[in-house]
Amino acid sequence: MKGLGERVSQLNEKLALLFSFVESGGIFAPVIFILFHILRQFLFIPVAVVCMAGGILFGSLLGTIYSLIGLFLLSCLFYFCIHKMPRTYKKLLQIKQKWFGHHAKLTVGQIAILKMVPFFHYHLLNLCLMERKPNFRDYAKSTFFSNIPLAFFYTVFGEFITRFTPSMVVMILLSMSVLFYLLREKVVTMTWREFFRSES
């Protein structure tokens, strides 16, 4: 419990820093907020928390738009940088195989839902999207659409999430699980070698 309290305290300090930076930014406040979406991974702040902050600072509409721009730029940066960081790429690949298996290919709809679940690694889902859409143009289009539910939900409703009862949180997670199942890809592709290896 003590460790959790310290983490919450550190998160509050980082958010206070975000608010002070943005509020003192004047006309550059939206630019600072968008850049913070890119920098937040180095400060270990969850994506959802930054989206909530956008709703508080700019309102639902502008907060959603700014978060979408920030997340889109972050995802594009990930696309161009991940292959230049082989250790990080390998680690994300291992996590993906552990969680989803060797042959699973998540659909864009499934990735959009998982991005709304706070404990899922954002860049792990970007990696899944890269495997699904290796071409940058397709990836950019898909990442934009997969970020819309995340940005909208946490910007508009984020400030009320802390008031949810445990039963409401369970209902939301169950609903996401059902949607995740319904949006799955029905076909798994594997080579002959992989098939016979799994049979043996």
Side-chain angles (χ1 to χ4, degrees), residues 64-179:
T64 301
I65 292 170
Y66 296 151
S67 284
L68 276 174
I69 295 170
L71 291 170
F72 179 75
L73 291 174
L74 176 62
S75 298
C76 291
L77 189 65
F78 173 82
Y79 180 92
F80 290 112
C81 292
I82 189 60
H83 289 295
K84 296 177 181 178
M85 299 182 291
R87 290 180 65 184
T88 305
Y89 178 77
K90 187 178 179 181
K91 186 177 179 181
L92 285 174
L93 205 58
Q94 287 172 344
I95 297 171
K96 175 192 172 288
Q97 290 171 354
K98 184 178 179 182
W99 282 19
F100 304 119
H102 290 274
H103 307 293
K105 278 196 174 183
L106 302 179
T107 64
V108 177
Q110 285 180 312
I111 292 168
I113 292 166
L114 288 177
K115 281 185 176 181
M116 293 174 65
V117 180
F119 56 80
F120 266 95
H121 195 293
Y122 183 77
H123 288 312
L124 172 63
L125 297 172
N126 277 337
L127 179 68
C128 294
L129 198 56
M130 275 181 65
E131 291 184 344
R132 183 90 191 174
K133 306 284 184 180
N135 178 270
F136 176 70
R137 187 175 180 179
D138 295 334
Y139 168 85
K141 184 179 176 182
S142 298
T143 198
F144 176 80
F145 285 113
S146 68
N147 283 331
I148 290 175
L150 165 67
F152 177 78
F153 181 82
Y154 284 108
T155 302
V156 177
F157 301 108
E159 57 186 299
F160 300 106
I161 286 176
T162 53
R163 302 176 197 174
F164 284 178
T165 62
S167 58
M168 289 175 72
V169 172
V170 170
M171 285 292 293
I172 291 169
L173 290 175
L174 282 174
S175 301
M176 287 181 179
S177 299
V178 171
L179 280 171

Side-chain angles (χ1 to χ4, degrees), residues 15-65:
L15 284 176
L17 185 66
L18 167 62
F19 282 120
S20 62
F21 263 122
V22 173
E23 287 173 350
S24 62
I27 59 172
F28 297 107
V31 177
I32 294 170
F33 177 74
I34 289 167
L35 289 175
F36 196 84
H37 262 291
I38 298 171
L39 296 173
R40 62 99 204 150
Q41 57 196 332
F42 303 109
L43 300 171
F44 303 104
I45 300 176
V47 177
V49 174
V50 181
C51 291
M52 288 182 212
I56 296 167
L57 289 165
F58 304 106
S60 299
L61 179 61
L62 289 176
T64 301
I65 292 170

